[in-house]
Amino acid sequence: MANILIVKIIFKNLRILPFVIFLWRCENQFSQDELRLTPEKPDAFPKLTERNRLLGELSPERSCYDVLHYLIDIDFDIKKKYIKGFVEIRSVAKDDFSILQFDLARKMMLNKVEYQDQILKTSRKKDAVFVEFPNIKDGENFTFRIYYEGKPLEAKNPPWDGGFVWEKDKNGRPFVSVACEGDGASLWWPLKDHIADEPDEGATMTFTVPSELYCVSNGRLIDISSNEDKTKKSFTWAVNNPINNYNISVQIGHYVSIQDTIHHNGLVDTLNYYVLDYNREVATNHFKQSKKVIRFFEKYFSEFQWWDDGYKLVEVSYLGMEHQSAVTYGNNWNNWGGERAWTSKYYGIVDGLLFHETAHEWWGNSVTAIDPAHMWIHEGMAVYSEAMFIEDQLGYNVMIDFLLDKREGIRNRRPIVGPSHQNYWAFGDSYNKGAWVLHTLRNIINNDDQWFSILKEFSIENAKSHVSTQDFLNHIIKTTKKDFQSIFNQYFYDHRPPTFEYYQLDNKYYYRWSNVISGFTMPVDIDVNGSEMRLFPTELLQSIDIAKHSVIYIRDWESYVVLKEDSSIIKKLNGE
């Protein structure tokens, strides 16, 4: 902390900050001790429960229909923390069927399911609801309505623990929101709760709240109406695009609206901010930086996909979430500080929370993982986008400093990619290690124009669609015409970072890979007496000729590897 304060006080001119950071890192070189603590065996993945099997599998009862649109209508009793309403699901059959599954938390009361003015028979198993339909034919469009009510799960530690957040603002007034990534939107409304099925034609949400409060949701506000005695207001919002189920959100409080405009790519669009009334002034100034963030993403990845639904920042009492077209913000209006330590490590140039959650509008909301086992596509891409932004604004050396800080948080307890079809949300190392794998790939490819083109083309080609780790690998192979399979297998499907073993003796420099999968190969760059050299180690011991007493540094800031100086490899070479 003292070092950071010195940098802040003495080097306010950011033009010399990259040089300062580089020198500071030289004096405080990252220790690889933590990397060497990688366990020999990974932690076991969570045991598959019946609930997660039902939520994770795309069983015949789920794959038999594709959701086209959700119509959500919910009345809120804030004092009782109770909700009541209905959800109408418009779908198309993808196969002949007579039974389908939707999902709703067990603690929520299912009142009835209606189809063509008939009440259908239902049965429940964990959080799954099975509905008996008259025979529905492949290709047939059908709509059914689910009536329900209950007291939804209350979040213990949002947004990491899903549920409702029934808070009070600083004036003691109701301040309500919800976050449910991982736990599932079915904890508060009935739906086909799988990441791979988004409503193709969007969703319409009507939320009824006490008349003194304002309600904000995704998309555009299309109507506000009052009941007869003026005690309640209904706010109707609409999303015209596909949307992740967990992104559909509701925020209730004493909100005021702030509108701004952004000039981008020759166009002018509106930005909308909803904040508590007493934060209008600070939000008006602080949220201006969102324009810089959006321009960055449109430059390096693709156009913002949701302009017809709008870009919103919405104040909440928890840290924040990437709710599509309604990104929530609960940081403390300070680029140098934050509610969590990681949100303040952006050298004062951006609010880290605002940037990270906005990043998900590209990585997560537009380009979406086909299964939560591939969460690094959301989180690793978002963190790597932060590194790219820092490099864009402050240069390469400061970006390296940022990533070195992130590297210290990697734990290597499990592989980045987890088991599919088990409702396993592979967070963990998907953030920091995911970003470091991307940084490593950049170095391997060794062509920045090609590397950044790979990312941009992948974002554009897969906008508003679902992808897997294999899809990203295939895209890299197609572009580079090189085989990255063993690298992906090592970094994404094995928990161990590769170990670069080396030893310098007289006029020889020995090296090889260890602690890797069979057949692993990846280049490593070193500096020999100040000249950069690329090595191509394998599991077999190799060597290069060097001048005696050469000064050699391994450029480990370019790749995520463990370094191990090991004289015993010479003995193995000599058969000892």
Side-chain angles (χ1 to χ4, degrees):
M1 180 60 72
N3 287 325
I4 294 174
L5 290 174
I6 291 171
V7 169
K8 286 184 189 177
I9 295 169
I10 299 177
F11 302 106
K12 292 183 179 179
N13 187 338
L14 291 180
R15 288 176 296 179
I16 63 172
L17 182 56
F19 179 68
V20 172
I21 292 292
F22 184 75
L23 291 180
W24 181 57
R25 277 291 177 182
C26 288
E27 291 298 319
N28 300 272
Q29 188 175 5
F30 172 73
S31 171
Q32 290 223 341
D33 291 343
E34 186 69 29
L35 288 178
R36 296 193 186 100
L37 294 177
T38 298
E40 182 178 347
K41 294 183 178 180
D43 291 351
F45 289 111
K47 185 178 179 181
L48 178 62
T49 64
E50 182 67 1
R51 175 185 181 272
N52 283 333
R53 184 190 69 79
L54 290 165
L55 289 175
E57 280 186 351
L58 284 172
S59 61
E61 292 83 5
R62 301 176 103 190
S63 59
C64 66
Y65 72 108
D66 177 36
V67 177
L68 299 177
H69 184 269
Y70 288 113
L71 175 66
I72 303 168
D73 194 308
I74 300 174
D75 192 308
F76 284 81
D77 187 330
I78 292 177
K79 289 183 179 179
K80 294 182 179 179
K81 301 180 180 179
Y82 199 87
I83 64 176
K84 182 177 182 178
F86 67 84
V87 174
E88 187 172 278
I89 304 178
R90 180 161 54 85
S91 305
V92 60
K94 307 303 287 185
D95 203 350
D96 297 350
F97 74 90
S98 59
I99 297 177
L100 66 68
Q101 173 190 334
F102 69 83
D103 308 292
L104 179 66
R106 284 167 289 177
K107 69 177 297 181
M108 302 300 288
M109 183 187 304
L110 177 63
N111 293 330
K112 61 180 178 178
V113 178
E114 286 186 347
Y115 170 69
Q116 295 184 345
D117 298 323
Q118 296 182 0
I119 297 177
L120 302 182
K121 185 178 179 180
T122 62
S123 60
R124 304 187 76 167
K125 190 173 186 181
K126 303 298 181 179
D127 290 351
V129 180
F130 297 92
V131 189
E132 297 182 18
F133 276 79
N135 289 332
I136 303 291
K137 298 297 183 182
D138 183 11
E140 183 178 341
N141 287 287
F142 65 101
T143 300
F144 61 104
R145 181 176 285 192
I146 305 158
Y147 292 86
Y148 76 108
E149 61 186 284
K151 195 171 183 178
L153 180 69
E154 192 166 349
K156 296 178 181 179
N157 183 30
W160 296 275
D161 294 320
F164 265 82
V165 186
W166 308 92
E167 282 287 351
K168 300 286 187 181
D169 67 19
K170 291 179 180 179
N171 290 330
R173 304 169 299 183
F175 191 22
V176 180
S177 55
V178 66
C180 58
E181 183 183 17
D183 296 271
S186 55
L187 66 80
W188 69 286
W189 61 281
L191 72 154
K192 182 178 176 180
D193 201 359
H194 193 284
I195 196 171
D197 193 359
E198 301 178 5
D200 300 343
E201 299 171 16
T204 303
M205 297 76 64
T206 298
F207 298 123
T208 301
V209 302
S211 58
E212 69 272 15
L213 298 174
Y214 196 97
C215 178
V216 185
S217 188
N218 312 81
R220 301 284 185 180
L221 179 64
I222 60 176
D223 185 63
I224 303 176
S225 61
S226 299
N227 62 356
E228 289 186 4
D229 61 6
K230 308 297 183 183
T231 58
K232 286 203 166 185
K233 285 184 179 179
S234 296
F235 295 79
T236 300
W237 295 80
V239 174
N240 294 319
N241 287 280
I243 182 171
N244 290 343
N245 299 320
Y246 64 81
N247 274 334
I248 292 178
S249 65
V250 60
Q251 290 77 219
I252 304 167
H254 284 263
Y255 284 109
V256 293
S257 174
I258 303 168
Q259 191 171 91
D260 200 354
T261 58
I262 179 173
H263 295 256
H264 66 110
N265 298 332
L267 302 172
V268 179
D269 276 291
T270 58
L271 307 175
N272 294 281
Y273 313 131
Y274 289 86
V275 300
L276 295 177
D277 45 16
Y278 51 75
N279 281 328
R280 179 195 292 269
E281 182 178 3
V282 66
T284 299
N285 292 314
H286 193 72
F287 284 166
K288 288 179 181 178
Q289 63 190 292
S290 63
K291 290 185 273 191
K292 178 170 64 173
V293 173
I294 291 170
R295 290 191 187 107
F296 164 81
F297 278 98
E298 291 200 327
K299 173 184 176 182
Y300 283 98
F301 299 111
S302 64
E303 184 179 4
F304 182 66
Q305 296 296 310
W306 321 118
W307 283 122
D308 51 340
D309 290 330
Y311 175 86
K312 286 198 298 295
L313 293 172
V314 187
E315 183 181 359
V316 290
S317 59
Y318 63 89
L319 188 59
M321 267 290 294
E322 63 264 29
H323 298 143
Q324 183 176 312
S325 70
V327 172
T328 56
Y329 176 89
N331 215 12
N332 62 0
W333 317 101
N334 181 3
N335 287 8
W336 280 108
E339 292 296 321
R340 299 278 173 166
W342 66 266
T343 66
S344 62
K345 296 180 179 179
Y346 296 83
Y347 313 98
I349 62 171
V350 73
D351 185 307
L353 188 280
L354 185 156
F355 187 97
H356 182 88
E357 303 307 339
T358 297
H360 285 308
E361 291 282 42
W362 281 261
W363 301 109
N365 299 349
S366 177
V367 181
T368 306
I370 192 68
D371 188 281
H374 303 273
M375 264 297 108
W376 76 268
I377 294 170
H378 298 202
E379 302 300 350
M381 286 288 193
V383 175
Y384 188 68
S385 299
E386 297 164 23
M388 288 176 59
F389 180 73
I390 289 169
E391 181 176 0
D392 180 78
Q393 298 289 303
L394 299 177
Y396 182 84
N397 287 347
V398 186
M399 179 273 291
I400 291 297
D401 178 75
F402 173 82
L403 283 178
L404 289 174
D405 183 75
K406 293 295 182 184
R407 190 164 71 175
E408 296 185 36
I410 299 173
R411 293 294 174 258
N412 294 312
R413 299 301 181 190
R414 293 188 179 118
I416 295 176
V417 177
S420 296
H421 313 301
Q422 296 188 16
N423 195 39
Y424 175 73
W425 291 71
F427 292 116
D429 278 342
S430 68
Y431 294 79
N432 297 338
K433 189 174 180 180
W436 260 96
V437 174
L438 292 166
H439 179 62
T440 301
L441 290 170
R442 173 187 180 179
N443 180 63
I444 295 169
I445 291 171
N446 201 28
N447 181 328
D448 279 355
D449 289 341
Q450 186 178 63
W451 168 243
F452 292 120
S453 177
I454 285 171
L455 294 179
K456 188 168 188 175
E457 289 171 3
F458 190 73
S459 174
I460 292 172
E461 292 173 7
N462 296 285
K464 300 182 183 179
S465 62
H466 293 78
V467 298
S468 67
T469 303
Q470 187 66 42
D471 291 324
F472 187 59
L473 168 60
N474 292 342
H475 180 70
I476 291 179
I477 292 174
K478 179 182 176 182
T479 303
T480 64
K481 304 295 190 294
K482 295 179 180 178
D483 185 8
F484 284 79
Q485 186 68 61
S486 71
I487 294 171
F488 269 62
N489 288 346
Q490 181 72 45
Y491 279 108
F492 287 111
Y493 298 97
D494 195 290
H495 73 293
R496 303 165 299 170
T499 297
F500 181 73
E501 293 185 347
Y502 65 95
Y503 192 70
Q504 182 176 344
L505 180 65
D506 296 330
N507 62 344
K508 291 284 189 179
Y509 185 79
Y510 299 91
Y511 59 92
R512 69 175 181 184
W513 287 120
S514 68
N515 213 29
V516 293
I517 62 172
S518 177
F520 177 78
T521 178
M522 186 180 82
V524 168
D525 294 329
I526 64 173
D527 286 340
V528 181
N529 295 323
S531 296
E532 187 175 343
M533 175 184 294
R534 173 155 287 200
L535 304 179
F536 295 89
T538 65
E539 294 173 85
L540 299 176
L541 188 63
Q542 301 178 58
S543 66
I544 58 172
D545 295 327
I546 57 173
K548 197 172 183 178
H549 307 306
S550 288
V551 176
I552 300 179
Y553 290 106
I554 303 161
R555 301 171 66 88
D556 69 325
W557 59 88
E558 295 179 340
S559 303
Y560 184 59
V561 297
V562 177
L563 304 183
K564 182 180 179 181
E565 185 175 12
D566 187 1
S567 61
S568 67
I569 60 178
I570 308 301
K571 295 179 181 179
K572 295 173 185 176
L573 181 68
N574 296 328
E576 298 179 22

